[in-house]
Amino acid sequence: MCSPLHQPDGPLLPGASRRTFLRATALTGAATAATGLVSATPAAALARQNTGAVTAGWRPDPESPRFTLVVMPDTQYLFDGASIDKAPVEASLRYVLDHGRDENIVFLSHLGDLTESGQAGEFAAIGEAFGLLDRRRVGYSVVAGNHDIKSSTDDRRGRTPYLDTFGPQRMRRLPTFGGATPDGYNTYHLFRAAGREWLVLALDWRPSAAGLAWAKDVIAQHPDTPVILTTHELVYADADGDEAELSDHGKHLWDELIAGHDQIFLTLNGHYWPAGRTTRKNTAGNDVHLHIANYQNRYYGGSAMIRLYRFDLARNTIDVETISPWILGRAGERLNDLERGEIELTGPQDRFAVPIDFEKRFAGFAPVPVRGPRPAKQLLIPGTVAYWRFDSPSHQDGSAADAGLRVPDLSGHRNDLVREAVPGSAPDALRWSTAHHPDQPGHGSLYFDGSKPPLRGAYLRTENNAPLNTATFRSGYTIEAFLRLPADWDAGRNAWGAVLGRRGTLGAAGKTSGDPEEPVATLSVSDGPGLQWAAAPLNQPGAVTNWSHELLRERWWHVAVVNDEKHTTMYVEGCMVARNPATRTTGLATLGLPWLLGAYEYGGRLDQLMHGWLGDIRIVERALPVRDFMIA
């Protein structure tokens, strides 16, 4: 799908593309918390926000397919009794504020061991630092580490400086706060990103059985929401961080909670060093990514380094980067060698990419709805002069198209298609298929099994008296088609097979520029393979050409060629391609001859046939915006 930032006529309207993760099931807000949960609705959070000086609220883009989750691991050595320096933490939090828009930062998670001894003075200092986020109402979570509380206790330990500083009474002021256990040590948080809701489950150092039951209940209340689990201890790594393993407590969490809840796809913990990661299969057979981030053993207690988890759902990737904003902010000063080495960590456990097919990974609990077929009348927008589709239920998948095939023009303009074949071609050179582009209105296609040498295959053409044959499109046009190339598509045998085009040569049409043997119009598959629209406008002496990028085989594509009476522009999957000429182009030259589907002529003779699938094809006698394409 084309990013909204690159849409030539503005952001995609809802439903403009439904095969990326942005098309996931629409989700409602957080469900009302079950009995025993401390809950906060957005309205309640607004009512409870600080009444002091508050700067502008936090506004991440909830629909962009790219967003960033910030992770801050153990900061304990910066808050150690009388040895307190909150400047590194504040630098990291200011980085979040300063880069919130360009990074689309949606949330921050601290992984515990905020302090060294859990003393009130230590918490007062780090609590004051986090006020930077409170004042902007930036969503964040914290968890207790073993240095923040008495490590021998679980979440039933009662009141502590940790709870006094970062308990639900503080968190519920934030719009992302979802709820907490009655003891306050386990919380969950919700944020919206990439067009859907995400849940951060922040668990105590040692959640009790009741705490784990609460966590299961929270997940059950959000059955189609992906979950990121944060806790202080879960996995540890060997000396090189090459392979992380579950700790004893981590095994307990895995067995009791993570393995059986498919929504948990990523876990983050600190406590141990070095940094490391591993992947385990849950009971549903899906990957769970388990990551350690902890830098307290490094210079200046880790200098409040942060991990940037950059989710990119368009690329199905999470890009991870580790930086020290505190040192980065002083990069213009004279830093020593040690400091320069800590600005950014580039080892394989600190800077890496996590490939995740989000749609496939989340299909077990949030499947993307399959878009059903749309009736032809919905596609007959004003100006439609031809519309063909190949989805008749009477055609068996893989069966040969009848020699007397006639495909009606559903626009009602009598531009019907008839079947033609090269003598000696197999009867099934043209056959029916149920394959189709996911956003195609008609759920069917025709497979064209063309090639050369020798020239073999079948194709379709408009009838000799079809009104479309003489149309000049002086007021503009939009030509759309769906296509897919098979795995065995080969440039030597299959290049320049056309999706559609017009019979008649440039020379015969009086065009004096270029090769006179080329057709007056053709949308062909080049040897890339890529798409080429080469057509002779009324106002130019020869053909003007648009080129797409190269197309992957075994993938459906939608192409649109749009002329607005001045210029011709090609779009692939709703995205404008780069190689659109600035040449002024008006209308299309014609000799009154038929249009061809799946065939290309050179010198007035059949030269190549399509090798691949063609789905719905529509021609409209005006320029359409992207929002009106058939994929919309």
Side-chain angles (χ1 to χ4, degrees):
M1 171 186 169
C2 182
S3 166
L5 296 176
H6 294 89
Q7 286 292 347
D9 58 342
L12 285 173
L13 297 179
S17 179
R18 292 167 172 77
R19 291 309 295 177
T20 66
F21 189 70
L22 296 182
R23 200 188 126 205
T25 309
L27 300 174
T28 59
T32 302
T35 302
L37 304 185
V38 180
S39 303
T41 64
L46 285 170
R48 298 186 185 108
Q49 67 177 321
N50 288 327
T51 57
V54 179
T55 55
W58 194 243
R59 293 291 183 270
D61 183 348
E63 303 302 323
S64 171
R66 304 183 73 178
F67 65 91
T68 301
L69 170 72
V70 179
V71 176
M72 181 181 288
D74 309 47
T75 52
Q76 64 197 72
Y77 292 162
L78 299 173
F79 301 91
D80 181 8
S83 178
I84 291 179
D85 187 353
K86 62 181 181 178
V89 168
E90 289 180 335
S92 290
L93 299 181
R94 287 195 181 96
Y95 180 95
V96 171
L97 299 177
D98 293 343
H99 295 271
R101 182 177 295 274
D102 57 273
E103 294 269 11
N104 197 26
I105 296 173
V106 295
F107 198 77
L108 179 144
S109 288
H110 196 294
L111 301 181
D113 274 2
L114 295 99
T115 69
E116 174 65 14
S117 305
Q119 297 175 6
E122 296 170 344
F123 272 106
I126 193 169
E128 183 179 353
F130 269 82
L132 292 169
L133 300 189
D134 294 332
R135 287 188 287 274
R136 291 285 295 276
R137 301 186 70 242
V138 177
Y140 67 90
S141 66
V142 297
V143 296
N146 57 302
H147 282 262
D148 297 319
I149 41 79
K150 187 177 180 180
S151 62
S152 61
T153 61
D154 61 21
D155 54 23
R156 298 168 296 181
R157 65 184 62 89
R159 183 175 177 178
T160 60
Y162 166 87
L163 200 61
D164 289 343
T165 306
F166 289 107
Q169 77 284 353
R170 180 176 188 152
M171 292 296 170
R172 64 168 57 97
R173 300 169 184 168
L174 303 175
T176 51
F177 180 68
T181 46
D183 52 69
Y185 284 99
N186 303 280
T187 59
Y188 77 93
H189 310 261
L190 299 161
F191 62 84
R192 187 168 180 83
R196 65 161 308 141
E197 189 177 67
W198 304 73
L199 190 150
V200 173
L201 188 60
L203 296 185
D204 183 63
W205 154 252
R206 290 292 185 265
S208 63
L212 291 178
W214 169 89
K216 295 174 184 178
D217 196 24
V218 167
I219 295 173
Q221 289 178 47
H222 303 83
D224 45 13
T225 302
V227 176
I228 300 166
L229 186 149
T230 64
T231 191
H232 187 57
E233 179 193 346
L234 186 65
V235 292
Y236 67 94
D238 59 24
D240 298 319
D242 291 335
E243 186 63 30
E245 299 285 347
L246 290 167
S247 68
D248 288 343
H249 175 64
K251 291 176 183 176
H252 174 68
L253 287 181
W254 177 267
D255 293 339
E256 295 297 322
L257 178 65
I258 301 169
H261 289 83
D262 192 34
Q263 291 165 247
I264 302 174
F265 72 99
L266 174 64
T267 73
L268 305 167
N269 71 274
H271 189 54
Y272 298 106
W273 64 82
R277 55 196 165 104
T278 190
T279 304
R280 290 174 65 94
K281 297 286 186 184
N282 62 19
T283 55
N286 290 321
D287 287 343
V288 181
H289 301 272
L290 305 103
H291 293 185
I292 313 164
N294 185 10
Y295 302 102
Q296 69 184 87
N297 60 312
R298 301 185 71 95
Y299 168 70
Y300 217 80
S303 66
M305 282 186 175
I306 54 175
R307 279 258 185 105
L308 303 173
Y309 280 74
R310 296 187 176 102
F311 286 68
D312 190 335
L313 277 70
R315 293 170 47 240
N316 282 322
T317 300
I318 305 175
D319 294 302
V320 181
E321 184 180 7
T322 305
I323 63 173
S324 172
W326 180 61
I327 301 176
L328 184 64
R330 297 184 291 110
E333 305 172 11
R334 293 191 62 174
L335 301 179
N336 60 42
D337 289 344
L338 180 57
E339 290 173 312
R340 284 195 294 269
E342 297 292 298
I343 289 177
E344 181 174 6
L345 304 186
T346 56
Q349 304 304 329
D350 307 305
R351 184 169 185 164
F352 54 90
V354 181
I356 299 179
D357 185 330
F358 290 97
E359 182 178 311
K360 182 178 179 181
R361 174 59 182 85
F362 299 161
F365 58 88
V368 175
V370 176
R371 193 178 192 187
R374 285 165 280 163
K377 64 181 180 180
Q378 290 186 9
L379 284 299
L380 302 182
I381 60 178
T384 303
V385 294
Y387 178 40
W388 305 291
R389 54 197 278 177
F390 316 109
D391 59 347
S392 173
S394 62
H395 301 138
Q396 185 177 356
D397 185 44
S399 63
D402 187 79
L405 174 66
R406 185 187 190 87
V407 179
D409 171 16
L410 300 178
S411 76
H413 287 90
R414 297 178 292 106
N415 296 303
D416 297 347
L417 301 173
V418 294
R419 181 184 184 276
E420 298 281 358
V422 175
S425 299
D428 63 351
L430 185 65
R431 49 188 184 265
W432 299 104
S433 174
T434 57
H436 60 276
H437 187 289
D439 279 323
Q440 186 177 306
H443 283 196
S445 59
L446 277 174
Y447 181 74
F448 294 73
D449 194 8
S451 66
K452 72 173 188 181
L455 185 64
R456 291 288 185 268
Y459 60 98
L460 302 173
R461 66 168 177 85
T462 54
E463 295 187 299
N464 293 332
N465 60 350
L468 191 66
N469 299 346
T470 57
T472 57
F473 299 98
R474 291 182 179 274
S475 298
Y477 57 85
T478 300
I479 298 172
E480 295 180 80
F482 293 95
L483 71 149
R484 186 175 84 171
L485 304 179
D488 66 351
W489 190 96
D490 176 76
R493 293 182 290 109
N494 308 124
W496 306 108
V499 176
L500 80 165
R502 270 185 152 163
R503 273 186 171 155
T505 65
L506 293 174
K511 300 298 181 179
T512 58
S513 176
D515 186 345
E517 301 301 309
E518 289 286 349
V520 290
T522 180
L523 178 61
S524 302
V525 181
S526 73
D527 55 0
L531 289 166
Q532 181 205 58
W533 172 246
L538 299 172
N539 64 320
Q540 294 294 337
V544 178
T545 304
N546 303 67
W547 295 88
S548 81
H549 58 281
E550 292 190 6
L551 305 182
L552 295 175
R553 297 164 176 80
E554 290 297 326
R555 171 178 169 172
W556 277 99
W557 298 95
H558 171 269
V559 58
V561 180
V562 181
N563 178 270
D564 62 0
E565 302 182 65
K566 298 178 181 178
H567 301 97
T568 303
T569 305
M570 181 186 289
Y571 299 83
V572 175
E573 291 297 302
C575 298
M576 183 172 61
V577 303
R579 300 171 69 186
N580 288 310
T583 308
R584 190 177 183 89
T585 52
T586 302
L588 288 175
T590 180
L591 292 166
L593 299 174
W595 287 71
L596 305 177
L597 270 70
Y600 165 81
E601 283 193 346
Y602 182 79
R605 291 189 172 191
L606 204 61
D607 186 72
Q608 181 60 287
L609 298 177
M610 177 72 179
H611 186 61
W613 291 262
L614 292 182
D616 294 17
I617 296 176
R618 183 176 70 175
I619 302 177
V620 181
E621 56 182 358
R622 61 186 175 93
L624 295 181
V626 174
R627 63 177 177 270
D628 289 339
F629 288 176
M630 287 193 287
I631 57 174

